[in-house]
């Protein structure tokens, strides 16, 4: 109804407004043309008078001629009330009443001058003058000596009066047009309003009820047919409001439960279409509600095994529980519970699917199992050795002093190893849980690396291993000196243990310049610890930083290693916000490369 009322009003306004506007345009155009034509006629008349009364002077220097014509132009302007310009036959301006001729360009190609030269009569043009900064009407008459043209005289008058008159006409037209618009709008709107208002009210209430606003009611003013329709609408709204209040209350409870469930919930109707999906199910399956709702379960982008499990539940109509590995959007282990739904005893309604993400539980169980197995395995060897040699001593070996002494030394070494193992486990636990705060301070790398090599020199000499360092002086960085020493000592110890006698272990420290840094400024420090040892097979490289992982288990234990050193190194490097990687080749040696930021 509102659109019909608006259309009717608009039609009246357009018809009346178009008529007034067309008449105004015609009147304004006619007035402007007649005004300009009259102005042009007057200017031509004045030019004829000027032409008769003037003498075109061609004697004297050009400066004298310019002064003469300029004086003439200024004198004529006072009587003609117009700008006067004298132009030589070649286009040179010889005098102007309003502007200095030195600053004026050649006028031979001006439209009015060209027209006057071609016709031998008058030439005219209307344009914006850059000299006087306004719209002007120009009229030119040629000055002849017989048939030859000696020059031109030009009058120019401002069109401000013409434009002011046109603006006045437009003001009257627009005022009348606005008045007509208002009157036509009021009349047409009032007529349409009286016809459409009652039906519009009923339609609006019906739309509100459609949009679930069940409190909307029609205000009935008359008892005619339209009033009876309003009463019927009100009765329908009362009934719908009562029913929808109950539905909304139940739906709100169900929605609140589903949205706050950690488990994913998915429902499939009797036709096999997905009709319900909560937020957790979206996260688990990796697809939004918009992508899955309304699609059949076997057509949706889901894992084949999951689809088969749903089909099995539909076919058997029995509860099914299973665990399954999902690979999208990330690898995870899900516990899937499928329950058949029915409205009545024999009426099939669909399948309810509940998804539990048990990835973290299974990963924790696996880590706990691996950790227990690894710790048990590592503890078993020293404990067995201590127990075995202690039993031997108790059985009578104590009487042999040399044997007893060697056995006790073995027991002491194994207990030391056991103590180191427990210490490393506790240390790694603290580092992983970030319970060890790092104390950053400036470190002189040349002195620091030298001290570390000095500490390991005794161990290296036992195997005639040459320790070498390549560190520039005056190289500094911010780090936890104790933890940085632990990193370097661990890697040097590894290099010494896995390098044959007579080998070489080298520490190289160099700056890394990134971005726009230049000169002595650098962003990172690279530590390269290389040896000429036995090397690491390529298949073992990805796992060397795992806890208790050993490439050569027999050699590691004989060297007193716990299998936790590299894991501790990796975590300490990460605490310094750095990176560590390893390059190695069997029989050629190993190279650990650590990159740490200079400032934290």
């Amino acid at each position: 109804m509102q659109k019909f009322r608006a259309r009717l009003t608009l039609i009246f306004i357009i018809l009346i407004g178009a008529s007034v506007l067309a008449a105004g345009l015609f009147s304004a155009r006619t007035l402007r043309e007649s005004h300009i034509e009259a102005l042009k006629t007057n200017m031509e008349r004045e030019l004829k008078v000027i032409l008769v009364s003037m003498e075109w002077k061609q004697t004297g220097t050009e400066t004298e001629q310019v002064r003469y014509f300029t004086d003439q132009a200024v004198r004529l302007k006072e009587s003609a009330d117009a700008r006067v310009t004298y132009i030589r036959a070649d286009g040179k301006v010889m005098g102007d009443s309003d502007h200095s001729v030195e600053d004026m360009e050649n006028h031979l190609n001006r439209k009015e001058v060209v027209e006057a030269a071609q016709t031998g009569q008058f030439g005219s043009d209307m344009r914006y003058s850059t000299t006087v900064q306004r719209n002007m009407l120009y009229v030119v008459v040629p000055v002849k000596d017989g048939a030859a043209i000696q020059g031109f005289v030009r009058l120019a008058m401002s069109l401000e009066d013409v434009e002011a008159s046109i603006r006045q006409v437009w003001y009257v037209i627009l005022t009348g047009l606005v008045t007509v618009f208002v009157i036509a709008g009021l009349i047409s709107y009032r007529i349409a309003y009286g016809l459409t208002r009652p039906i519009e009210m009923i339609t609006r209430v019906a739309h509100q009820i459609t949009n679930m606003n069940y409190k909307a009611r029609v205000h009935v003013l008359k008892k005619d047919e339209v009033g009876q329709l309003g009463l019927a609408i009100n009765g329908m709204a009362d009934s719908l409001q009562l029913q929808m209040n109950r539905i909304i209350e139940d739906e709100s409870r169900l929605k609140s439960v589903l949205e706050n469930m950690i488990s994913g919930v998915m429902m499939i109707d009797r036709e096999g279409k997905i009709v319900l999906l909560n937020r957790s199910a979206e996260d688990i399956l990796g697809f939004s509600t918009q992508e899955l709702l309304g699609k059949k379960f076997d057509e949706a982008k889901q894992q084949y095994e999951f689809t088969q499990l749903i089909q099995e539940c539909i076919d058997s109509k029995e509860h099914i529980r299973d665990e399954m590995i999902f690979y999208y959007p990330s690898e995870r282990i899900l516990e899937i519970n499928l329950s058949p739904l029915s409205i009545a005893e024999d009426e099939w309604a669909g399948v309810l699917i509940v998804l539990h993400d048990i990835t973290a539980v299974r990963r924790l169980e696996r880590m706990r199992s691996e950790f227990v197995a690894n710790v048990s395995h590592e503890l078993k060897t020293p404990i067995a050795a201590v127990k075995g040699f202690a039993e031997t001593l108790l059985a009578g070996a104590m009487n042999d002093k040399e044997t007893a002494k060697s056995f006790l030394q073995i027991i002491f070494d194994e207990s030391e190893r056991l103590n180191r193992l427990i210490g490393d486990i506790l240390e790694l636990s603290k580092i992983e849980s970030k319970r060890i705060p790092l104390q950053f301070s400036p470190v002189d790398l040349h002195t620091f690396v030298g001290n570390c090599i000095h500490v390991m020199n005794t161990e290296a000499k036992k195997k005639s291993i040459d320790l070498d360092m390549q560190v520039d002086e005056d190289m500094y960085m911010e780090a936890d000196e104790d933890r940085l020493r632990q990193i370097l000592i661990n890697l040097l110890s590894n290099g010494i243990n896995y390098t044959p006698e007579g080998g070489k272990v080298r520490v190289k420290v160099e700056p890394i310049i990134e971005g726009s840094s230049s000169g002595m400024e650098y962003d990172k420090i690279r530590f390269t610890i290389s040896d000429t040892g036995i090397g690491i097979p390529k298949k073992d490289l990805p796992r060397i930083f795992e806890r208790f992982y050993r490439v050569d288990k027999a050699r590691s234990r004989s060297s007193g290693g716990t299998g936790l050193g590299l894991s501790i190194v990796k975590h300490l490097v990460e605490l310094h916000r750095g990176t560590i990687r390893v390059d190695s080749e069997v029989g050629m040696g190993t190279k650990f490369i650590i990159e740490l930021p200079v400032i934290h």
Side-chain angles (χ1 to χ4, degrees):
M1 294 302 167
Q2 191 71 28
K3 291 183 179 179
F4 172 72
R5 186 187 307 163
R7 285 200 303 271
L8 187 61
T9 304
L10 190 61
I11 288 171
F12 277 107
I13 292 174
I14 290 174
L15 287 175
I16 298 172
S19 301
V20 175
L21 186 62
L25 288 171
F26 179 76
S27 300
R29 183 177 181 83
T30 303
L31 178 63
R32 186 174 188 275
E33 289 178 354
S34 62
H35 203 323
I36 291 173
E37 192 62 34
L39 189 62
K40 189 188 299 183
T41 302
N42 290 335
M43 292 172 70
E44 289 176 355
R45 189 180 299 114
E46 290 174 359
L47 281 172
K48 289 179 180 178
V49 173
I50 292 171
L51 202 61
V52 171
S53 62
M54 71 165 284
E55 178 184 354
W56 189 270
K57 182 179 180 180
Q58 294 182 335
T59 60
T61 63
E62 186 173 299
T63 303
E64 292 175 347
Q65 292 181 33
V66 168
R67 187 182 301 112
Y68 169 77
F69 284 112
T70 300
D71 294 341
Q72 289 289 329
V74 172
R75 182 175 58 79
L76 287 173
K77 180 181 179 180
E78 295 176 357
S79 59
D81 193 24
R83 180 185 173 191
V84 181
T85 306
Y86 289 93
I87 305 169
R88 205 163 60 190
D90 61 355
K92 168 72 176 177
V93 177
M94 301 301 294
D96 191 270
S97 60
D98 291 5
H99 204 269
S100 174
V101 298
E102 286 80 4
D103 300 331
M104 298 178 67
E105 59 186 12
N106 191 287
H107 281 40
L108 187 63
N109 293 323
R110 297 296 171 92
K111 183 179 177 181
E112 66 274 11
V113 176
V114 172
E115 184 180 348
Q118 289 176 349
T119 61
Q121 299 295 325
F122 293 94
S124 62
D125 188 25
M126 286 187 299
R127 66 175 179 272
Y128 181 81
S129 172
T130 56
T131 305
V132 296
Q133 304 292 319
R134 61 174 69 106
N135 291 321
M136 304 289 288
L137 172 63
Y138 298 94
V139 178
V140 176
V141 64
V143 180
K144 297 181 180 179
D145 184 11
I149 296 176
Q150 293 181 315
F152 303 88
V153 181
R154 185 180 73 175
L155 283 183
M157 295 190 70
S158 172
L159 294 177
E160 286 184 350
D161 293 339
V162 177
E163 292 171 349
S165 300
I166 299 302
R167 281 197 297 270
Q168 185 65 28
V169 171
W170 271 111
Y171 175 76
V172 173
I173 292 172
L174 291 175
T175 303
L177 191 62
V178 170
T179 304
V180 170
F181 281 171
V182 172
I183 295 173
L186 290 174
I187 294 174
S188 59
Y189 183 82
R190 183 61 185 170
I191 295 172
Y193 183 85
L195 294 173
T196 61
R197 177 62 178 169
I199 300 176
E200 181 182 354
M201 292 173 60
I202 294 174
T203 304
R204 187 183 299 118
V205 171
H207 281 306
Q208 290 177 351
I209 294 172
T210 304
N211 294 327
M212 299 184 180
N213 179 15
Y214 300 107
K215 294 181 180 179
R217 296 292 183 273
V218 178
H219 299 287
V220 180
L221 300 176
K222 298 180 180 180
K223 299 295 183 180
D224 56 5
E225 290 81 0
V226 176
Q228 294 299 319
L229 177 61
L231 292 174
I233 293 289
N234 289 341
M236 181 185 67
D238 291 336
S239 177
L240 285 174
Q241 184 177 8
L242 181 62
Q243 296 178 37
M244 288 305 300
N245 284 341
R246 295 174 182 172
I247 295 172
I248 290 171
E249 186 177 350
D250 293 340
E251 184 180 353
S252 177
R253 292 172 183 168
L254 177 61
K255 185 177 180 181
S256 179
V257 171
L258 287 175
E259 291 301 318
N260 290 283
M261 285 182 66
I262 298 176
S263 302
V265 177
M266 181 177 178
M267 186 180 289
I268 296 173
D269 65 7
R270 69 185 70 187
E271 296 176 357
K273 293 182 179 179
I274 301 171
V275 293
L276 178 66
L277 202 72
N278 73 342
R279 191 183 308 159
S280 296
E282 292 181 20
D283 297 336
I284 292 172
L285 298 176
F287 292 95
S288 65
T289 303
Q290 290 77 10
E291 292 177 287
L292 295 180
L293 279 186
K295 290 187 177 181
K296 288 194 173 183
F297 73 91
D298 54 353
E299 294 177 357
K301 300 175 182 178
Q302 293 302 314
Q303 197 162 290
Y304 176 75
E305 293 82 356
F306 181 47
T307 305
Q308 290 298 104
L309 202 62
I310 297 173
Q311 187 63 52
E312 183 182 343
C313 181
I314 293 174
D315 295 339
S316 65
K317 295 182 174 55
E318 293 180 356
H319 177 268
I320 297 176
R321 180 193 173 281
D322 198 359
E323 288 187 13
M324 190 176 295
I325 299 177
F326 275 60
Y327 299 96
Y328 180 85
S330 59
E331 185 174 337
R332 61 182 72 186
I333 303 170
L334 299 182
E335 179 186 318
I336 306 173
N337 288 275
L338 300 95
S339 302
L341 300 176
S342 57
I343 300 175
E345 292 184 0
D346 299 327
E347 189 175 355
W348 166 253
V351 178
L352 178 65
I353 305 169
V354 181
L355 306 169
H356 300 284
D357 188 349
I358 59 173
T359 309
V361 176
R362 293 291 180 263
R363 185 183 296 118
L364 187 60
E365 290 175 354
R366 185 174 65 253
M367 289 176 63
R368 186 185 294 115
S369 176
E370 289 178 355
F371 182 74
V372 171
N374 287 330
V375 171
S376 300
H377 184 72
E378 294 296 329
L379 293 175
K380 183 178 179 180
T381 302
I383 290 174
V386 170
K387 181 182 178 182
F389 286 107
E391 287 177 348
T392 305
L393 289 171
L394 291 173
M398 291 180 61
N399 298 325
D400 186 347
K401 290 185 178 182
E402 291 298 325
T403 303
K405 185 177 180 181
S406 64
F407 283 6
L408 288 172
Q409 183 63 46
I410 293 172
I411 291 173
F412 177 79
D413 292 341
E414 292 298 327
S415 63
E416 278 293 308
R417 181 163 171 258
L418 187 60
N419 185 56
R420 285 195 303 273
L421 177 61
I422 295 172
D424 283 350
I425 291 173
L426 292 175
E427 180 79 3
L428 182 60
S429 175
K430 290 179 182 178
I431 293 171
E432 287 182 337
S433 62
K434 295 182 174 59
R435 285 183 291 165
I436 300 179
L438 299 184
Q439 303 296 327
F440 288 95
S441 61
V443 178
D444 181 350
L445 294 176
H446 186 273
T447 305
F448 171 77
V449 175
N451 291 338
C452 291
I453 288 182
H454 179 71
V455 170
M456 299 304 298
N457 206 31
T458 304
E459 293 293 326
K461 285 181 178 179
K462 292 178 181 178
K463 298 177 66 176
S464 300
I465 292 175
D466 182 23
L467 293 181
D468 181 37
M469 62 176 276
Q470 183 179 342
V471 186
D472 293 338
E473 295 185 1
D474 298 327
M475 189 181 296
Y476 293 87
M477 69 175 292
E478 284 191 5
D480 186 316
E481 188 168 352
D482 291 338
R483 297 301 170 183
L484 189 60
R485 182 179 292 106
Q486 190 175 356
I487 293 171
L488 200 57
I489 294 294
N490 257 313
L491 294 177
L492 286 173
S493 178
N494 266 8
I496 293 170
N497 289 335
Y498 293 100
T499 300
E501 292 187 3
K504 187 175 184 179
V505 177
R506 182 186 183 191
V507 179
K508 181 181 179 182
V509 182
E510 57 187 338
I512 302 175
I513 299 174
E514 295 181 348
S516 60
S517 299
S518 61
M520 298 299 293
E521 297 179 0
Y522 44 88
D523 304 298
K524 293 181 179 180
I525 294 290
R526 178 182 292 145
F527 294 81
T528 305
I529 299 91
S530 57
D531 60 57
T532 57
I534 60 175
I536 304 171
K538 285 187 178 180
K539 65 181 181 63
D540 293 311
L541 285 176
R543 301 191 60 191
I544 62 170
F545 294 109
E546 293 181 12
R547 291 177 295 183
F548 298 113
Y549 187 79
R550 291 187 175 92
V551 178
D552 187 345
K553 295 179 173 56
R555 189 184 186 99
S556 297
R557 290 197 179 90
S558 66
S559 65
T562 63
L564 297 173
L566 288 180
S567 183
I568 291 173
V569 166
K570 181 176 183 293
H571 282 88
L572 288 176
V573 169
E574 289 175 351
L575 283 177
H576 280 81
R577 299 177 188 174
T579 59
I580 181 171
R581 66 180 188 273
V582 59
D583 295 331
S584 185
E585 188 174 343
V586 176
M588 300 297 293
T590 304
K591 182 188 295 182
F592 286 91
I593 303 165
I594 300 172
E595 292 183 0
L596 301 177
V598 173
I599 300 176
H600 292 264

